[in-house]
Amino acid sequence: RAEEILNHMIENDEYVKPNLHTYTSVIEAHANSGASGAALKAENVCQRMANLYNEGDLDVQPTTRSFNAVINAWGKSNEKNAAQKAEDCLDWMEQLYESGNDKVKPNTFNYNSVISAWAKSGQLGAAERAEEILGRMEALYQAGDNDVKPNTISYNTCIDAWAKSGVEGSEQKAEELLHQMEQLYESGENVDAKPNTRSYNSVINAYAKSRVDDAAKKAEDLLNKMEEMYNAGTYDIKPDAISFATVINAWARSYSFGKADRVLNIFRRMVQLYKDGNKSVRPNVVLFNGVLNACAFTIGEPADQRRAVEIANLMLKELELSPFGKPDQVTYGTYLKVCQNQMPECDTRHRLVDVVFKKCAKDGQVGNLVLSQMKSVLSESDYEKIVGKPMEESISLDDLPQEWSCNVVEGKRRRRHLH
């Protein structure tokens, strides 16, 4: 609609000639629309501006703001090669600036937008490309260009790119960038690169996703460092619920013995911090589910398995009574996985699964995860007795009583709900 108005103005420019603000508003309208093809449309409008300016229309000289809207549009886009398109726009800005157009001088915000586009892209090599852009910023800043001074966002986004990359050694790359931030800030060389909670959380996440042997310990060491720094007065590095949840997840994914007790202790520390006044570590259902997940994948002797079941029972009961949330389908699905992995097949397990499923159904939390786990933990005959459908029959939630799944929240809706 915005571009239609622009075109109408162009056709009638004898009366209302479009100017810089008109074109930039159209670019931003495309960038903010989220529509398919919006980024390309935004870039095309910017190209029209550049062409008109080159033809002598000084009223539509592109500016940094015009280009930044285009870069943001590509950064938000899910289209193939969107990150490369964002970087191409940055290169275009640099070329125009070097040719004499000082209105399009790239700044920190522009570079950060391109780093973010690469971090979000999920492409092979995205983390390397993000760090290359950061390297360009550092070189320009060291050469005296203060307009492209890397800041906390620049480094955090690169760390996040490495955490998401999944490539071997990504956790080391992420931690190296964190150490670089610490050195730059402490030396006074770049106080705008001061690490914060997100910096540490992103490195913890990199370790949680890695498969190195000591990943969980490294993640917990970083959490301990955050607590020490915060207690010493560095209030920008305040452990939050994400910090604790990610460390618990790191231990749950590990092959360490005794991890169920380990995550229980971490959870207890978190609850105590919350009681002591740190409201940013308020527990939620995700944390409870993380402890259950560690129980589900506990390894070791029968005694370790029995302890995992004890902790799982404790977590489920505490969650049912807690002010921090109520069990959801992930809670019940993960608890069923605990039963499958940590209990021998016997009448006790069968009775427990029966009780848990009925509680799950009463809470309206029978989702696809729960149904899948029921098939794994039960025999065909027991499954049919409890669920009321043959195991071999492909069923959806619509085939079950509506009240069984009335409170299930799936996918993106679930993430927003939890947030």
Side-chain angles (χ1 to χ4, degrees):
R1 179 61 180 154
E3 191 164 354
E4 287 177 10
I5 295 172
L6 171 63
N7 292 333
H8 180 73
M9 292 176 69
I10 293 171
E11 293 168 3
N12 299 274
D13 65 357
E14 180 181 348
Y15 306 102
V16 279
K17 182 178 182 293
N19 57 20
L20 165 65
H21 299 293
T22 315
Y23 278 91
T24 301
S25 295
V26 174
I27 293 172
E28 290 176 342
H30 281 307
N32 294 328
S33 72
S36 177
L40 181 58
K41 290 177 181 177
E43 185 174 329
N44 288 340
V45 174
C46 191
Q47 183 66 67
R48 286 168 66 183
M49 290 178 70
N51 293 341
L52 288 168
Y53 175 69
N54 291 335
E55 292 169 4
D57 188 345
L58 302 183
D59 291 334
V60 293
Q61 182 180 6
T63 64
T64 299
R65 178 176 171 178
S66 312
F67 276 90
N68 195 63
V70 178
I71 291 173
N72 279 340
W74 282 118
K76 294 175 182 177
S77 172
N78 293 319
E79 296 177 39
K80 186 179 179 180
N81 295 326
Q84 182 61 60
K85 293 287 188 179
E87 186 174 339
D88 291 344
C89 286
L90 178 63
D91 293 340
W92 185 14
M93 289 181 74
E94 291 179 336
Q95 291 166 9
L96 289 174
Y97 175 69
E98 290 169 3
S99 66
N101 184 353
D102 59 358
K103 298 289 186 181
V104 294
K105 186 179 188 300
N107 58 30
T108 298
F109 194 85
N110 305 133
Y111 276 88
N112 285 352
S113 295
V114 176
I115 292 173
S116 179
W118 278 114
K120 177 193 169 188
S121 72
Q123 290 180 229
L124 185 64
E128 288 88 343
R129 296 296 294 273
E131 194 162 345
E132 284 174 13
I133 301 297
L134 176 61
R136 283 164 61 178
M137 294 179 75
E138 291 173 329
L140 287 167
Y141 173 62
Q142 289 167 7
D145 189 347
N146 289 324
D147 290 332
V148 293
K149 185 179 184 180
N151 58 20
T152 301
I153 294 173
S154 316
Y155 288 94
N156 282 355
T157 311
C158 272
I159 291 172
D160 193 45
W162 280 114
K164 291 176 178 176
S165 71
V167 301
E168 186 177 352
S170 57
E171 71 288 337
Q172 293 178 334
K173 292 285 189 179
E175 189 164 13
E176 285 170 7
L177 283 170
L178 175 61
H179 291 326
Q180 185 179 347
M181 293 176 76
E182 292 171 332
Q183 187 275 325
L184 287 169
Y185 177 73
E186 291 167 5
S187 68
E189 185 178 340
N190 183 357
V191 294
D192 290 350
K194 184 179 182 181
N196 59 18
T197 298
R198 183 181 171 188
S199 313
Y200 278 83
N201 283 353
S202 294
V203 179
I204 290 172
N205 189 38
Y207 275 109
K209 291 183 174 181
S210 78
R211 285 298 184 185
V212 295
D213 291 340
D214 60 347
K217 183 179 182 305
K218 292 275 191 179
E220 188 173 353
D221 288 345
L222 285 166
L223 174 62
N224 293 338
K225 183 178 179 181
M226 290 177 76
E227 290 188 74
E228 291 169 5
M229 294 178 73
Y230 179 72
N231 291 335
T234 307
Y235 298 121
D236 288 323
I237 303 174
K238 183 178 184 180
D240 60 15
I242 294 173
S243 316
F244 280 88
T246 312
V247 171
I248 286 174
N249 183 47
W251 280 111
R253 288 168 55 90
S254 75
Y255 295 104
S256 303
F257 292 99
K259 63 185 178 182
D261 272 304
R262 189 97 182 210
V263 298
L264 178 62
N265 290 335
I266 294 169
F267 179 80
R268 293 289 185 239
R269 273 168 56 195
M270 180 183 178
V271 172
Q272 189 58 53
L273 282 172
Y274 176 72
K275 290 179 178 178
D276 290 343
N278 183 353
K279 301 307 179 185
S280 65
V281 295
R282 187 181 192 276
N284 56 40
V285 66
V286 174
L287 272 298
F288 283 88
N289 292 347
V291 178
L292 286 172
N293 194 44
C295 295
F297 294 97
T298 286
I299 56 175
E301 300 298 323
D304 298 304
Q305 293 181 298
R306 288 192 295 272
R307 178 58 179 157
V309 175
E310 289 175 9
I311 293 172
N313 288 333
L314 181 66
M315 285 291 99
L316 184 57
K317 290 176 183 176
E318 285 191 12
L319 181 56
E320 289 172 346
L321 300 173
S322 84
F324 304 128
K326 296 302 175 188
D328 62 10
Q329 70 147 331
V330 176
T331 309
Y332 287 113
T334 310
Y335 185 88
L336 291 170
K337 176 63 74 172
V338 174
C339 296
Q340 178 190 352
N341 289 352
Q342 309 302 347
M343 297 180 71
E345 188 173 347
C346 59
D347 288 341
T348 300
R349 187 175 90 170
H350 173 77
R351 287 194 297 271
L352 181 58
V353 169
D354 187 19
V355 169
V356 170
F357 182 80
K358 286 176 180 175
K359 178 69 170 63
C360 179
K362 182 180 178 182
D363 289 347
Q365 292 291 351
V366 178
N368 290 313
L369 175 62
V370 171
L371 289 177
S372 174
Q373 293 302 327
M374 289 291 285
K375 289 182 178 180
S376 298
V377 74
L378 293 173
S379 66
E380 291 185 13
S381 60
D382 289 338
Y383 176 89
E384 187 168 356
K385 286 177 186 176
I386 295 174
V387 179
K389 300 282 184 179
M391 184 180 289
E392 66 272 11
E393 183 178 326
S394 178
I395 61 173
S396 68
L397 300 185
D398 293 334
D399 299 318
L400 301 173
Q402 190 273 335
E403 62 270 19
W404 285 13
S405 58
C406 60
N407 293 319
V408 171
V409 183
E410 298 275 11
K412 291 183 179 179
R413 284 182 61 238
R414 177 176 182 272
R415 289 194 291 273
R416 288 195 296 269
H417 176 72
L418 291 174
H419 180 72

